[in-house]
Amino acid sequence: MPEQTIPATYKIEEVKKRREILELPIAGPGDQPIKVNIGPSHPAMHGTIKMIAELVGESIVNIDVEPGFLHRGFEKMMEDHNYVTALPYTDRLNYVSAMINNFGYAETIEKLFGIEVTERCAWLRTLFAELSRVTDHYTCQAAICSEIGAMTPFLYLMQARDYIWEHLNWASGARQTYSYARIGGLARDIPDGWLGKLKEILDSNIPLLKDIHGLMDRNRIFLDRTQGVGEISKEDAINAGITGPFLRSTGIDYDVRKAMPYHKYAEVDWEVPVGKYGDNYDRWFVRMREIEESLKICYQCIERIPSGPLNVDAFQAHLPDKAEVYDNIEGLINHFKIIIDGPKPPKGSIYHCVEGSNGELGFFLVSDGSGHAYRLHVRAPSLMIMGQLDKIIIGHQLADIIPIFGTVNMVGGECDR
Amino acid sequence: MSQQIPGLPDMTYIDREKRTFLDQIYFWEITRGILITTKHFFRNMAKWLTFRKGGVVILYPEEMRPDYSQNNRGRHILVQRSDGSPRCVACKMCATNCPAECITIVAEESDDSNIQKRPKVFEIDVSRCIFCGFCVEACPVDAIRMAPTTEELAGYNRFRMIYDKKTLMTWKPTVNDDVVHGYNP
């Protein structure tokens, strides 16, 4: 057998650390590793991601992760549309938890205006953001289950997610792309009896979560596929700018909701779950625990939502009430001015971040005093993870790509914008 | 330390070094999993046999969902006056506020001396529409609304999905002209 050579560009040290591969035959032509294209349209690549893996045997010696196939020019759209009409575009960032994006965007402009939302609005926003986080984590966990081969928990979780989405439809008017936030408030108040029904739905989720724990937690197939696979160190995660459940799985308790409290997170009782090693299992564990914490916040919000006005009285920022528009010439002029020119915040730049379901979702907005943004940059949490993904995958086997990619929970709409 | 939700056991972290013998033999956990799924199966069958929860899948567009949310943003409706003419005054606020730019309005002079303008052409490209409800919010005369249902929103041809004034004016108002119908913030 001829002596095998592997080009120096391959991160062979990484591979050696994890697996003894040098005994394996190199099967490709000209003694080169085999290249395997995965994606962009592949069921395992959530959304559209292309990966070019180079294999020795079944071990991955090099991988090239290429995001960007879902680029829709979101940031350019924000410059083209005024602040009101740009809002539905934020729904399409992380389309599984659209409320969080809505609120993050609206709060950025509120910060620039210097508007403080009302108590009721802040509590409702907390509730909706947490419900969205629950649905997002349900979707992610369901995807992990189905990718590992457990189809039943996938269907249970999808069903639970859809009950919550249907209920959000009663409040906002859409199942997934809500467009519910407005600058200085919300689009509409919740219907009567909505909170009571929500409590029933959340109650029905608790036995379901128990069943999911029972099906997955101690199953050896699941543990073997996840434990020790896709590890990342604390230092690497921080250096790459990774936030969210991914960072918390390495054991660092950074959460925007605790570090820089917005909405009403400082007033509710909850804790930040952390993992230990930063592998697939820890990411699963952190998300599962976060669902519990989010449910806990939801229960507290339901009890504590005060009555009172929903929207602040800010004529320069949002559309006036319909009664004003129909009966009052001042209101009608205000209505026309806001729709034609858009709300005009003062000149300046601002950064505001919220805890999205994958990490710190930041909006950097530069305003030149006109009705639309001069520049709006979105700090998408998934993109930071994509930059580090090759280091996580190299050295594992081809089949490990799928659970690793499932647990990082890349959302194409947010990553590629 | 914060309180736990009653009924939900705190998830235990399973350290990779500390897996028990029962975890390492597949058999016990798989049996437990089968018991859980069997429980779900019998519960769902009991519900189905007693007609408490029918099929969850519908064959859209042949079947319509009966349980749409009353606030759901479905197909657009042009509200009519009691004489059957559209209430729209062709101010183009909805077209300006539309994020997807899918509304086309051409105005013309009205025959009625009390009303200045009326729409000659009012088209919504439903294949472009993102159903955000911003047109409803923008209308200063309550002339456009959104029904909770989604009848006939599916189509084989994208040119048939451009709805003209006649298609949008399917809602016949009753005696009370101000009855609230559909999404109206």
Side-chain angles (χ1 to χ4, degrees):
Chain A
M1 201 172 166
E3 200 177 324
Q4 294 159 1
T5 51
I6 294 174
T9 49
Y10 299 123
K11 293 153 188 160
I12 208 72
E13 290 305 316
E14 288 273 332
V15 184
K16 267 188 192 168
K17 252 193 286 178
R18 288 177 174 149
R19 207 170 294 277
E20 286 298 319
I21 59 147
L22 292 179
E23 300 85 54
L24 296 168
I26 295 178
D31 281 352
Q32 289 293 307
I34 305 172
K35 280 194 178 181
V36 177
N37 272 297
I38 310 163
S41 293
H42 187 272
M45 305 287 113
H46 303 192
T48 43
I49 288 274
K50 187 179 173 190
M51 286 186 187
I52 304 167
E54 294 179 28
L55 305 175
V56 171
E58 272 203 59
S59 295
I60 296 161
V61 290
N62 199 8
I63 190 160
D64 188 14
V65 182
E66 251 181 67
F69 286 90
L70 207 63
H71 178 69
R72 295 147 303 167
F74 170 80
E75 289 173 1
K76 212 69 196 165
M77 283 292 195
M78 300 307 254
E79 292 165 26
D80 189 47
H81 291 66
N82 73 34
Y83 289 112
V84 175
T85 53
L87 191 107
Y89 285 91
T90 60
D91 279 334
R92 276 94 182 152
L93 281 175
N94 185 344
Y95 36 80
V96 198
S97 55
M99 289 271 188
I100 301 175
N101 311 330
N102 275 185
F103 298 151
Y105 172 73
E107 272 162 30
T108 313
I109 301 164
E110 279 158 19
K111 234 179 165 178
L112 205 55
F113 267 117
I115 297 172
E116 214 27 61
V117 292
T118 58
E119 280 286 295
R120 182 175 171 80
C121 175
W123 276 107
L124 278 174
R125 280 186 182 184
T126 317
L127 172 65
F128 283 120
E130 286 313 307
L131 281 175
S132 272
R133 196 182 317 281
V134 170
T135 55
D136 192 290
H137 284 348
Y138 274 172
T139 316
C140 175
Q141 304 296 63
I144 297 168
C145 291
S146 88
E147 278 162 1
I148 284 175
M151 200 65 193
T152 319
F154 169 81
L155 293 171
Y156 293 168
L157 283 169
M158 283 291 174
Q159 195 185 16
R161 177 191 83 166
D162 247 61
Y163 283 144
I164 298 179
W165 272 359
E166 274 302 323
H167 200 55
L168 288 177
N169 191 354
W170 281 87
S172 66
R175 203 175 130 265
Q176 201 172 358
T177 49
Y178 312 102
S179 306
Y180 191 47
R182 293 289 180 274
I183 302 159
L186 295 171
R188 55 198 297 158
D189 211 337
I190 50 173
D192 294 337
W194 192 84
L195 289 173
K197 184 82 199 308
L198 177 69
K199 201 149 187 281
E200 280 173 32
I201 290 172
L202 293 183
D203 284 342
S204 74
N205 279 355
I206 289 169
L208 178 108
L209 276 174
K210 254 165 116 176
D211 284 354
I212 303 292
H213 282 312
L215 285 169
M216 303 299 286
D217 270 6
R218 287 184 172 275
N219 190 321
R220 191 178 162 193
I221 304 167
F222 171 69
L223 292 179
D224 284 349
R225 290 295 300 273
T226 53
Q227 288 190 334
V229 179
E231 277 188 50
I232 187 167
S233 67
K234 282 180 189 177
E235 292 77 25
D236 281 352
I238 289 178
N239 289 342
I242 294 173
T243 46
F246 204 108
L247 179 70
R248 290 194 281 279
S249 72
T250 62
I252 298 166
D253 63 342
Y254 173 73
D255 192 314
V256 180
R257 292 174 287 171
K258 279 276 193 222
M260 296 168 257
Y262 54 100
H263 292 339
K264 288 287 172 190
Y265 287 117
E267 295 178 31
V268 286
D269 175 32
W270 63 288
E271 59 192 48
V272 181
V274 287
K276 206 168 171 185
Y277 302 103
D279 59 359
N280 279 351
Y281 178 76
D282 285 16
R283 292 195 274 280
W284 160 276
F285 174 80
V286 166
R287 285 217 171 82
M288 251 358 220
R289 288 278 295 114
E290 262 184 35
I291 291 170
E292 291 170 18
E293 297 298 324
S294 289
L295 289 178
K296 209 166 23 179
I297 298 176
C298 288
Y299 277 118
Q300 291 175 46
C301 287
I302 291 171
E303 307 248 305
R304 291 176 66 177
I305 287 174
S307 55
L310 183 69
N311 293 349
V312 287
D313 196 13
F315 65 91
Q316 76 278 33
H318 63 79
L319 294 176
D321 283 345
K322 279 286 180 191
E324 288 273 305
V325 179
Y326 296 151
D327 304 334
N328 188 347
I329 187 69
E330 298 287 333
L332 191 67
I333 291 168
N334 189 5
H335 184 84
F336 271 62
K337 281 298 278 181
I338 289 210
I339 286 175
I340 292 169
D341 294 340
K344 290 181 177 166
K347 279 185 189 176
S349 61
I350 202 153
Y351 179 76
H352 179 70
C353 58
V354 292
E355 178 74 18
S357 50
N358 288 335
E360 179 182 330
L361 176 75
F363 291 90
F364 179 67
L365 174 68
V366 180
S367 158
D368 58 354
S370 66
H372 53 82
Y374 179 75
R375 176 86 172 90
L376 185 113
H377 176 70
V378 178
R379 186 208 182 276
S382 303
L383 188 66
M384 314 292 162
I385 304 173
M386 288 299 110
Q388 202 68 2
L389 196 61
D390 56 343
K391 281 188 191 161
I392 302 171
I393 291 177
I394 284 174
H396 290 298
Q397 295 196 334
L398 183 64
D400 289 331
I401 291 181
I402 283 107
I404 291 173
F405 200 66
T407 51
V408 303
N409 192 19
M410 200 259 346
V411 179
E414 174 189 73
C415 177
D416 304 339
R417 300 192 289 279
Chain B
M1 191 70 190
S2 51
Q3 279 189 330
Q4 280 304 310
I5 304 171
L8 188 66
D10 201 359
M11 186 183 176
T12 46
Y13 185 86
I14 295 151
D15 210 313
R16 61 185 76 160
E17 276 91 34
K18 292 176 193 159
R19 287 199 223 159
T20 57
F21 176 71
L22 278 180
D23 299 339
Q24 293 301 97
I25 53 164
Y26 294 92
F27 185 71
W28 169 243
E29 279 302 315
I30 285 173
T31 319
R32 218 158 59 87
I34 288 171
L35 282 178
I36 290 172
T37 46
T38 319
K39 191 182 76 189
H40 272 264
F41 170 74
F42 280 116
R43 203 163 59 199
N44 290 344
M45 283 305 282
K47 272 187 187 171
W48 184 72
L49 287 173
T50 51
F51 303 103
R52 268 181 292 167
K53 189 86 185 176
V56 284
V57 177
I58 59 145
L59 300 170
Y60 185 83
E62 287 85 12
E63 278 176 42
M64 290 305 298
R65 271 182 58 176
D67 58 341
Y68 269 122
S69 140
Q70 287 306 303
N71 299 328
N72 190 38
R73 299 192 293 254
R75 63 171 297 181
H76 306 265
I77 297 166
L78 270 185
V79 182
Q80 303 167 24
R81 294 200 177 85
S82 34
D83 62 347
S85 62
R87 205 192 261 176
C88 176
V89 293
C91 69
K92 300 190 184 175
M93 275 297 105
C94 47
T96 313
N97 207 27
C98 180
E101 293 160 21
C102 65
I103 305 179
T104 314
I105 302 171
V106 178
E108 67 173 358
E109 197 117 343
S110 171
D111 301 333
D112 193 342
S113 57
N114 292 327
I115 302 156
Q116 213 172 14
K117 286 196 290 180
R118 69 178 179 201
K120 186 181 173 191
V121 178
F122 192 107
E123 281 179 356
I124 296 181
D125 188 348
V126 201
S127 61
R128 258 189 93 113
C129 178
I130 58 170
F131 297 92
C132 60
F134 276 25
C135 47
V136 184
E137 242 161 73
C139 188
V141 290
D142 193 15
I144 187 165
R145 286 179 190 174
M146 280 168 123
T149 52
T150 55
E151 299 114 357
E152 296 161 18
L153 273 178
Y156 288 107
N157 184 333
R158 71 175 66 169
F159 300 107
R160 284 195 197 163
M161 297 178 88
I162 299 174
Y163 284 11
D164 58 1
K165 200 167 74 177
K166 202 180 152 203
T167 322
L168 290 167
M169 279 170 48
T170 45
W171 178 51
K172 299 275 180 268
T174 48
V175 185
N176 185 0
D177 214 8
D178 296 325
V179 66
V180 177
H181 190 273
Y183 181 78
N184 191 359

